[in-house]
């Protein structure tokens, strides 16, 4: 029985015991979104588009997107929206405080799908956060890609994330950045107004050569994909990063199931053609 | 593997003996007509004759309604200690019927796959199962034969088949079974398999409720009915209470919650049963519900049993035909009726 005990103890540790991360930087991005940089005990070793399970022990745990590029060091960056009991508590934390971190989990993006192609990123609201983990490594190897475009939309100017980053990407990343808001709501805004679908019909686009990565609120996907397909972009050239409720991250708790697939294990990033027989994917 | 013969009283005494040394769970009568798996005490009644499926299947002894996954403590030096909580105590579950053996067999498969579920498997590995063959349908709601679980005995350490003359045939199937049987005075039996075949041949036909087509054809029908009025028909009277999930021998979805102790430095993380029929099951932060419609939730539940998990694991239907969901449903929604309607309906994609 002793050997069995140590075996299951090890598996349980690997599955459910978070490593302790120390917060080294906190910054407000909007009134409800906060940036956190965390130093971990061990290297994160993540791929773009993966996520971690973040916990405050005693309060709970939730899946959170990783927003830094895969660097191989012990750094984890996230932008967390204050939305419930746990995230409200996380927003109370400061530099020096601890977070429990499990993961990384999920499929993520593979840069091999993007090399030598034109790249279009479509981000809606918080969708910019996981997409950033892909944009950063793409820019780092700028020469290996064709035209790069980012369409980033949010509700109003006050809700825009990563403003400094968007400025830098606009000026010196060799990338077209289209910044949009649904409505200015009478706030100062020097960029465009409209939905993230609107620039797509007007873009100069080589439909054969482009690869698209999109992430945003559930309602966004259908419309963006439809607009892309009208431009002749095939479903094999579109990658979607989906959101679902998750409680375990290891394909057991059942919450993230989309028809016969598990978002936490098979996703959250999917090639859209792989979802053709998955009617629940874009609901 | 060996076969033995004994009297029923002999077996009952054996189970009492086991219960004097280890926790043994056995179906006991509860209320007027219900049964539940309860720990055998000195004054417990042990009998095999009268039985209807227990309200909860025995697999729930291995997946408790609330289970601690880990405990944590923040020490005064600032270090946080976190340890998994594993239950590796030994137990025996006896009187497990074939449908429930199939349920445990399937849960074993599901929770071993990919990232193994250490909490379940630690408990499961320290559990002995004593099965009991059904020779007559236990009530009018069962359809175990129709989903191929009536003759399931895999996973049992000892499997018992009652014979016509009142005695029983004991099949020792594992080393653990041999250990449990040590010291018994059962008679060795040379023609065990033949005796079993004889029992099966004398069982009534049809056995419980039946479907007009076999399991493979049911899978095809269910897979081809994404948009069907059947999903709306039965769910019309559904309260979305999740009882069907909670009493199902193959449901294992869970929620995870933390609790802090009053010292505010220690606490634990637990998992509790969750249910895909509950309205909040697929709600994400911010409030979006990926399955807001009860019909979509019921379709998901049925497809897990008859399409998704059968396809993924290839061990037949993931509904064992025990009839518990229909028996316990306040609104009398029965997965049997849903499947029958889908079989009889034309194909829709």
């Amino acid at each position: 029985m002793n050997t069995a005990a140590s075996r299951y103890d090890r598996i349980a540790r690997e599955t459910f015991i978070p490593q302790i991360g120390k917060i080294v930087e906190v910054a407000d991005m909007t009134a409800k979104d906060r940036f956190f940089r965390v130093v971990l005990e061990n290297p994160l070793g993540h791929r773009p588009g993966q996520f971690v399970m973040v916990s405050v022990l005693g309060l709970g745990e939730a899946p959170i997107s990783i927003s830094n590029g895969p660097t191989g060091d012990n750094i984890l960056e996230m932008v967390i929206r204050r939305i419930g009991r746990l995230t409200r508590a996380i927003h109370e934390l400061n530099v020096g405080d601890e977070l429990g971190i499990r993961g990384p989990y999920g499929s993520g993006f593979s840069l091999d799908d993007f090399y030598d192609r034109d790249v279009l990123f479509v981000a809606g609201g918080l969708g910019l956060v996981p997409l950033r983990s892909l944009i950063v490594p793409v820019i780092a190897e700028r020469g290996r890609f064709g035209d790069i475009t980012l369409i980033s939309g949010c509700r109003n100017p006050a809700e825009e994330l990563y403003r400094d980053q968007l400025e830098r990407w606009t000026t010196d990343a060799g990338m077209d950045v289209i910044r949009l808001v649904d409505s200015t709501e009478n706030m100062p805004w020097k960029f465009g107004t409209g939905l993230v679908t609107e620039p797509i019909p007007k873009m100069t686009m080589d439909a054969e050569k482009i690869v698209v990565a999109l992430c945003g609120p559930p309602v966004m996907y259908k419309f963006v994909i439809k607009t892309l397909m009208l431009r002749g972009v095939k479903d094999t050239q579109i990658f979607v990063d989906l959101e679902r409720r998750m409680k375990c991250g290891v394909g057991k708790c059942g919450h993230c199931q989309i028809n016969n697939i598990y978002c936490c294990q098979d996703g959250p990033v999917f090639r859209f053609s792989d979802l053709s027989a998955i009617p629940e994917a874009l609901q | 593997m060996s076969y033995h013969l004994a009297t029923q009283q002999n077996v009952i005494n054996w189970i009492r003996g086991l219960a004097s040394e280890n926790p043994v769970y056995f179906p006991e009568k509860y209320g007027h007509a219900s049964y539940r798996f309860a720990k055998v005490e000195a004054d417990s009644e042990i009998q095999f004759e009268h039985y209807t499926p227990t309200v909860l299947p025995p697999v729930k002894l291995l997946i408790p309604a609330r289970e601690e996954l880990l405990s944590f403590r923040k020490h005064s030096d600032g270090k946080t200690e976190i340890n998994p909580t594993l239950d590796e105590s030994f137990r025996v579950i006896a009187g497990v019927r074939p449908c429930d053996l199939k349920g445990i067999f399937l849960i074993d498969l599901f929770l071993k796959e990919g990232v193994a579920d250490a909490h379940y498997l630690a408990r499961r590995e320290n559990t002995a199962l004593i099965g009991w063959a059904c020779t007559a349908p236990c009530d009018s709601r069962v359809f175990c034969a129709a989903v191929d679980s009536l003759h399931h005995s895999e996973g049992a350490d000892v499997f018992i088949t009652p014979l016509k003359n009142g005695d029983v045939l004991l099949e020792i199937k594992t080393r653990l079974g041999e250990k449990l049987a040590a010291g018994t005075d059962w008679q060795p039996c040379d023609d065990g398999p033949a005796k079993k075949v004889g029992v099966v041949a004398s069982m009534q036909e049809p056995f419980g409720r039946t479907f007009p087509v076999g399991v493979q054809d049911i899978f095809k029908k269910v897979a081809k009915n994404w948009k069907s009025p059947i999903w709306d028909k039965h769910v019309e009277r559904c309260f979305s209470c999740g009882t069907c999930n909670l009493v199902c021998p193959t449901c294992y979805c869970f929620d995870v919650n933390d609790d802090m102790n009053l010292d505010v430095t220690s606490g634990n993380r637990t998992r509790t049963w969750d249910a895909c029929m509950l309205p909040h099951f697929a709600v994400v932060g911010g409030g979006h519900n990926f399955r807001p419609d009860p019909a979509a939730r019921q379709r998901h539940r049925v497809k897990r049993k008859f399409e998704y998990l059968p396809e993924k694991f290839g061990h037949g239907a993931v509904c064992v035909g025990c009839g518990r969901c229909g028996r316990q449903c306040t609104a009398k929604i029965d997965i049997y009726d849903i499947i029958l309607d889908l079989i009889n309906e034309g194909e829709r994609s």
Side-chain angles (χ1 to χ4, degrees):
Chain A
M1 300 278 167
N2 278 338
T3 51
S6 59
R7 181 163 135 242
Y8 289 123
D9 187 81
R10 180 178 56 75
I11 298 171
R13 274 180 201 282
E14 286 168 4
T15 313
F16 284 116
I17 306 297
Q19 60 166 312
I20 301 296
K22 206 157 227 139
I23 298 171
V24 292
E25 190 185 333
V26 177
D28 279 332
M29 279 208 164
T30 72
K32 55 186 178 183
D33 302 299
R34 241 173 184 215
F35 169 84
F36 292 88
R37 179 179 286 125
V38 176
V39 176
L40 302 169
E41 295 158 353
N42 306 304
L44 189 58
H46 70 288
R47 292 187 294 277
Q50 285 193 296
F51 66 95
V52 285
M53 296 297 290
V54 178
S55 58
V56 175
L57 290 170
L59 261 175
E61 193 178 45
I64 303 284
S65 299
I66 300 167
S67 76
N68 52 322
T71 49
D73 58 20
N74 295 22
I75 299 293
L76 163 66
E77 291 179 3
M78 304 171 286
V79 177
I80 298 176
R81 177 163 291 178
R82 195 173 62 241
I83 220 162
R85 202 170 64 116
L86 175 66
T87 49
R88 201 172 306 128
I90 292 174
H91 272 230
E92 299 287 317
L93 299 177
N94 286 309
V95 170
D97 288 338
E98 291 175 346
L99 281 172
I101 306 290
R102 288 198 290 134
Y105 293 118
S107 55
F109 295 99
S110 167
L111 282 172
D112 291 336
D113 294 319
F114 293 81
Y115 287 133
D116 304 318
R117 316 289 295 253
D118 293 338
V119 182
L120 169 63
F121 302 103
V122 183
L126 268 177
L128 183 59
V129 177
L131 278 187
R132 184 180 177 274
S133 70
L134 177 64
I135 296 171
V136 169
V138 164
I139 290 171
E141 293 187 282
R142 178 65 191 88
R144 300 190 63 178
F145 305 89
D147 295 340
I148 305 178
T149 311
L150 164 64
I151 304 172
S152 169
C154 54
R155 202 168 297 164
N156 62 49
E159 291 200 7
E160 194 183 47
L161 301 167
Y162 278 113
R163 271 167 246 175
D164 298 346
Q165 177 88 79
L166 289 168
E167 296 286 347
R168 284 200 301 280
W169 284 344
T170 308
T171 52
D172 45 54
M175 171 165 76
D176 277 337
V177 180
I178 303 169
R179 295 163 70 173
L180 297 169
V181 289
D182 296 348
S183 158
T184 62
E185 296 180 21
N186 297 321
M187 290 179 245
W189 178 249
K190 54 183 178 176
F191 308 100
T193 313
L195 302 171
V196 290
T197 46
E198 287 172 25
I200 295 170
K202 296 172 253 169
M203 276 176 67
T204 321
M205 182 190 288
D206 180 348
E208 299 280 311
K209 202 185 164 198
I210 201 164
V211 181
V212 187
L214 63 127
C215 188
V219 62
M220 190 188 92
Y221 293 87
K222 266 183 240 194
F223 296 104
V224 173
I225 289 167
K226 198 175 155 197
T227 314
L228 287 167
M229 287 188 162
L230 285 173
R231 291 293 312 260
V233 180
K234 292 193 190 70
D235 56 1
T236 51
Q237 295 161 253
I238 302 171
F239 291 88
V240 294
D241 188 348
L242 300 182
E243 180 190 13
R244 286 296 183 279
R245 184 184 183 91
M246 293 174 188
K247 285 290 179 172
C248 72
V250 293
K252 293 285 181 281
C253 80
H255 290 91
C256 74
Q257 199 177 356
I258 309 170
N259 292 99
N260 59 343
I261 55 177
Y262 287 85
C263 193
C264 73
Q265 299 259 288
D266 304 314
V269 176
F270 297 93
R271 192 190 285 270
F272 186 58
S273 51
D274 292 338
L275 297 175
S276 58
I278 311 291
E280 285 188 327
L282 299 189
Q283 287 187 348
Chain B
M1 171 96 85
S2 60
Y3 288 92
H4 302 265
L5 291 169
T7 63
Q8 277 204 35
Q9 191 52 50
N10 201 323
V11 169
I12 289 166
N13 292 345
W14 171 57
I15 290 172
R16 283 201 191 283
L18 293 175
S20 67
E21 291 169 355
N22 302 289
V24 175
Y25 296 86
F26 193 86
E28 73 164 18
K29 197 157 186 207
Y30 176 62
H32 291 296
S34 301
Y35 285 81
R36 65 175 175 186
F37 276 89
K39 206 164 148 189
V40 173
E41 307 289 352
D43 60 348
S44 298
E45 188 192 4
I46 298 180
Q47 55 84 30
F48 291 98
E49 297 295 321
H50 308 286
Y51 176 84
T52 55
T54 50
V55 174
L56 293 176
V59 74
K60 306 294 181 188
L61 291 167
L62 308 177
I63 314 173
R66 183 182 165 89
E67 172 180 25
E68 187 172 294
L69 294 175
L70 60 88
S71 64
F72 60 87
R73 175 174 294 280
K74 193 151 185 150
H75 293 292
S76 49
D77 62 359
K79 289 253 186 312
T80 305
E81 187 189 342
I82 315 173
N83 288 306
T85 312
L86 292 169
D87 176 2
E88 291 175 284
S89 62
F90 183 72
R91 70 189 62 71
V92 179
I93 310 177
V96 182
R97 303 292 173 136
C99 59
D100 285 332
L101 285 173
K102 176 83 182 283
I104 295 171
F105 168 82
L106 290 169
I107 297 279
D108 284 354
L109 284 178
F110 305 158
L111 297 187
K112 275 180 190 163
E113 185 261 348
V115 178
D117 190 315
H119 293 81
Y120 172 79
L121 294 173
R123 209 176 263 118
R124 175 69 182 92
E125 205 159 274
N126 289 295
T127 299
L129 297 177
I130 300 172
W132 180 271
C134 295
T135 49
C138 48
D139 75 359
S140 59
R141 300 196 85 96
V142 296
F143 53 101
C144 46
V147 290
D148 303 337
S149 69
L150 172 58
H151 301 298
H152 186 97
S153 64
E154 199 175 338
D157 297 290
V158 179
F159 189 75
I160 307 169
T161 306
L163 302 173
K164 275 240 154 75
N165 67 1
D167 289 348
V168 298
L169 176 73
L170 295 121
E171 194 179 342
I172 297 177
K173 294 169 70 76
T174 65
R175 245 195 224 154
L176 180 56
E178 271 171 21
K179 226 171 110 185
L180 293 179
T184 54
D185 56 357
W186 304 339
Q187 301 301 308
C189 173
D190 297 332
D191 61 344
K195 278 204 160 57
K196 259 183 101 169
V197 169
V199 171
V200 170
S202 67
M203 277 157 57
Q204 69 179 70
E205 278 280 351
F207 191 101
R209 294 191 285 180
T210 57
F211 291 122
V213 299
V215 164
Q216 293 303 326
D217 287 323
I218 296 175
F219 293 165
K220 283 183 203 148
K221 281 283 187 182
V222 172
K224 283 180 178 157
N225 275 284
W226 180 252
K227 287 178 186 162
S228 162
I230 304 299
W231 303 123
D232 296 308
K233 176 185 164 186
H234 294 271
V235 91
E236 224 170 37
R237 54 188 201 277
C238 173
F239 295 109
S240 291
C241 71
T243 296
C244 49
N245 296 122
L246 301 189
V247 301
C248 178
T250 65
C251 273
Y252 57 93
C253 289
F254 59 86
D255 194 9
V256 177
N257 288 291
D258 280 20
D259 280 300
M260 187 69 102
N261 294 331
L262 286 175
D263 61 13
V264 205
T265 56
S266 65
N268 61 12
R269 180 163 291 167
T270 53
R271 64 174 169 191
T272 50
W273 296 343
D274 208 342
C276 66
M277 283 307 295
L278 293 175
H280 71 260
F281 187 77
V283 174
V284 290
H288 185 83
N289 190 348
F290 286 97
R291 235 176 260 120
D293 181 7
R297 295 198 292 275
Q298 191 178 74
R299 178 176 59 199
H300 183 71
R301 181 174 79 92
V302 172
K303 280 180 173 270
R304 261 179 78 98
K305 310 295 176 200
F306 286 96
E307 180 184 344
Y308 304 152
L309 294 173
E311 253 174 32
K312 185 169 177 181
F313 290 92
H315 276 275
V318 174
C319 165
V320 299
C322 66
R324 285 186 176 93
C325 53
R327 209 176 284 120
Q328 300 300 331
C329 178
T330 310
K332 299 278 171 277
I333 301 167
D334 194 325
I335 198 167
Y336 173 87
D337 298 329
I338 300 172
I339 296 299
L340 195 59
D341 277 353
L342 288 170
I343 291 169
N344 291 330
E345 197 207 28
E347 286 177 6
R348 289 157 198 267
S349 56

